[in-house]
Amino acid sequence: MRIRVQAAPFDPGAELTAFSRTAKGAGAIISFTGITRDLPGASLRHMLVEHYPGMTEKTLNRIATLALKRWSLKRVLILHRYGRMAPGDPIMMVATAAKHRAEAFQAAGFLMDYMKSRAPFWKKEVSEAGETWVKAREEDETALNRWQA
Amino acid sequence: MVDLRYFAWLRERIGTSHEQMNTDAETVADLVEELKARDDVYAQVFSDPAGIRVAVDQELVEFDAPLKNTREVAFFPPMTGG
């Protein structure tokens, strides 16, 4: 399991290649990359991502550990940036490697759903119109429920 | 002595990310009441607890959580990771 929280940009392709090399015995690899979405009219200047150092790493470790217990995974990667993102910049990435695709897909969905509403990150959009904290979405909270059965 | 941490809009409104406080509050809710009694800014920030999450020693908890032996209490809006 690999957890990385960093300000530096990353290259999702290079990360996936490196991840695949270390996922010995895997028959399926799933990766998800979150991208900084622009605002209507391409008006986003940048996005600021704030986090809670310490709690972030602890939470991501716990989420990854839960996934490793629940599915038979060969390897898990969680990478999340903080700081300033330009529109189109990758913000975060998860990758899962398993023997078969069903487990890899499910584990990746689980990791994403938990990251969305349990990992202590906050996003702020900075545009011509001003600065706005991104609001949490109700759907993200309900998405968690499907894993709690 | 408890370390208080604030994030996102709470940090901006309160005007600091970090402060220390001497308190005998037994629960998070008691601590919030103490803060609200301090001045209007805190009273406004904590006027709608439904929009605020709290972590005690970096674990998410509810507002009725006890504060015994707590070192750090953090207040922030619902998370928007991913």
Side-chain angles (χ1 to χ4, degrees):
Chain A
M1 141 174 134
R2 188 99 203 276
I3 308 291
R4 276 160 58 197
V5 181
Q6 63 184 50
F10 66 94
D11 173 351
E15 294 295 339
L16 181 57
T17 302
F19 179 80
S20 305
R21 277 201 200 104
T22 61
K24 300 261 182 301
I29 289 175
I30 299 300
S31 80
F32 172 90
T33 306
I35 305 291
T36 311
R37 214 182 355 253
D38 208 336
L39 290 168
S43 59
L44 182 74
R45 277 187 189 153
H46 57 263
M47 181 177 264
L48 295 172
V49 179
E50 180 173 337
H51 80 118
Y52 185 172
M55 182 171 169
T56 303
E57 291 79 359
K58 230 189 246 185
T59 307
L60 297 183
N61 264 295
R62 180 176 313 138
I63 295 169
T65 304
L66 284 173
L68 285 164
K69 271 194 196 142
R70 188 155 173 172
W71 293 281
S72 150
L73 303 171
K74 303 289 181 195
R75 203 162 167 85
V76 170
L77 166 73
I78 301 179
L79 198 174
H80 206 303
R81 287 180 67 196
Y82 60 89
R84 179 185 288 235
M85 322 280 144
D89 273 1
I91 299 185
M92 56 81 56
M93 177 173 179
V94 304
T96 54
K99 202 164 180 186
H100 299 287
R101 72 178 183 280
E103 294 206 294
F105 266 117
Q106 281 185 26
F110 170 90
L111 291 173
M112 280 313 305
D113 288 345
Y114 268 82
M115 299 264 290
K116 274 274 171 200
S117 27
R118 290 294 179 271
F121 289 95
W122 302 275
K123 295 187 189 123
K124 185 194 229 183
E125 292 168 340
V126 181
S127 72
E128 316 273 311
E131 304 187 345
T132 318
W133 287 103
V134 174
K135 287 206 169 52
R137 302 184 329 153
E138 194 64 39
E139 306 94 278
D140 290 336
E141 192 60 36
T142 37
L144 273 188
N145 296 338
R146 68 180 166 129
W147 304 109
Q148 278 156 5
Chain B
M1 188 75 87
V2 181
D3 278 324
L4 300 180
R5 312 279 308 259
Y6 308 109
F7 292 93
W9 67 259
L10 281 91
R11 170 180 56 73
E12 292 177 341
R13 290 276 296 282
I14 291 168
T16 185
S17 60
H18 182 241
E19 63 181 322
Q20 289 196 317
M21 187 177 174
N22 267 314
T23 178
D24 296 321
E26 289 185 0
T27 64
V28 172
D30 292 347
L31 176 67
V32 167
E33 286 312 310
E34 250 181 72
L35 287 168
K36 284 166 78 174
R38 264 186 175 180
D39 74 56
D40 281 355
V41 174
Y42 291 94
Q44 278 169 25
V45 163
F46 289 102
S47 62
D48 178 20
I52 296 176
R53 301 287 178 267
V54 57
V56 165
D57 289 333
Q58 305 191 352
E59 300 283 344
L60 267 187
V61 295
E62 301 294 328
F63 278 77
D64 59 4
L67 286 183
K68 212 173 171 224
N69 302 323
T70 291
R71 287 195 302 265
E72 187 172 289
V73 181
F75 295 100
F76 42 78
M79 292 90 129
T80 51

